[in-house]
Amino acid sequence: MASVDLLRTLGNKYSAEILDAADEPRSAQDLSDELDIPIATCYRRIDELTEHGLLELHDSILSDDRRRIKVYRRNVESVSVQFDEALSIAVEERSEVTNKLDEAWRTLSEG
């Protein structure tokens, strides 16, 4: 992933807010409503963040009216940008253990 492209994506309006809110699986509509982002813009940012591996399609759930809804989750714990000798970006991905613990906790709390 090119550092400059990633930095541009992170610098886009609403990208950081979406990543922050997507620590748990969320639909585009949920993100749009909670963050007060126009839905079309929300989908564009989701596509950009997914393309760079910062957000992932977590699941496709069935809504109350029997429609499939895609839910997304942040795929990273942190992103660090350094401007030493050259631009460098370090991305720390969420660990599988973290993902599994999140899923187990959510399952227990819903039950």
Side-chain angles (χ1 to χ4, degrees):
M1 109 179 68
S3 295
V4 173
D5 289 341
L6 178 58
L7 194 55
R8 278 191 192 114
T9 296
L10 288 170
N12 284 340
K13 190 173 184 179
Y14 305 122
S15 290
E17 291 91 338
I18 289 171
L19 283 175
D20 187 43
D23 60 328
E24 296 289 326
R26 310 290 293 280
S27 71
Q29 189 65 57
D30 289 343
L31 291 166
S32 174
D33 292 345
E34 178 182 326
L35 301 172
D36 198 29
I37 301 172
I39 190 67
T41 302
C42 193
Y43 275 114
R44 279 194 303 275
R45 295 299 174 262
I46 286 171
D47 287 344
E48 293 167 357
L49 294 166
T50 302
E51 190 176 301
H52 285 287
L54 302 173
L55 201 65
E56 67 180 357
L57 175 61
H58 176 70
D59 201 357
S60 183
I61 60 173
L62 200 55
S63 70
D64 292 338
D65 59 350
R66 314 286 297 160
R67 294 182 353 178
R68 286 279 169 197
I69 299 173
K70 293 179 180 178
V71 290
Y72 301 88
R73 180 172 62 183
R74 185 178 66 224
N75 199 31
V76 296
E77 282 299 321
S78 67
V79 177
S80 301
V81 180
Q82 294 185 359
F83 299 99
D84 294 332
E85 294 176 21
L87 172 65
S88 68
I89 299 178
V91 177
E92 180 187 343
E93 294 185 3
R94 286 173 64 120
S95 71
E96 282 300 312
V97 172
T98 300
N99 289 341
K100 289 180 192 239
L101 286 172
D102 286 349
E103 289 296 319
W105 180 253
R106 187 174 19 271
T107 301
L108 288 173
S109 64
E110 289 173 355

